């Protein structure tokens, strides 16, 4: 999962994954060219805006004793990281 990586490591990982994909038979006209497909399933900020959360910003949960740090990035944040890795979003839910 990408939620344990800093942004630079997310971009590096996605770019490395992109480099080993087989090319597709068509391109979207991007200067990066388009290899195959990577499917990402990541958590998104879960707090509703009316409850003190903001779904447009990343959210960081700090651990209790023996816990872990979790970072959830906004859709726009993920889109920027994906673009920096020369990937194109085909579909988003």
């Amino acid at each position: 999962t990408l939620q344990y990586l800093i942004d630079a490591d997310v971009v590096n990982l996605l770019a490395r994954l992109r480099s080993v994909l087989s090319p597709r038979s068509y391109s979207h006209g991007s200067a990066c060219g388009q290899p195959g497909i990577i499917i990402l399933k990541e958590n998104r900020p879960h707090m509703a805006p009316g409850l003190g959360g903001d779904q447009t910003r990343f959210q960081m949960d700090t651990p209790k004793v023996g816990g872990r740090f979790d970072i959830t990035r906004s859709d726009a944040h993920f889109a920027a990281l994906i673009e920096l890795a020369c990937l194109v979003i085909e579909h988003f839910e």
Side-chain angles (χ1 to χ4, degrees), residues 17-74:
L17 289 171
R18 181 187 175 281
S19 72
V20 297
L21 293 175
S22 300
R24 290 169 149 189
S25 59
Y26 65 92
S27 173
H28 288 280
S30 168
C32 298
Q34 291 305 305
I37 293 176
I38 297 173
I39 297 174
L40 295 175
K41 187 277 175 206
E42 284 296 312
N43 295 330
R44 296 158 79 187
H46 64 276
M47 294 179 68
L51 299 175
D54 186 345
Q55 294 178 329
T56 64
R57 299 173 187 251
F58 74 87
Q59 177 180 338
M60 182 172 159
D61 295 328
T62 54
K64 295 185 169 118
V65 176
R68 63 181 191 209
F69 286 95
D70 288 334
I71 298 174
T72 51
R73 296 170 173 94
S74 70

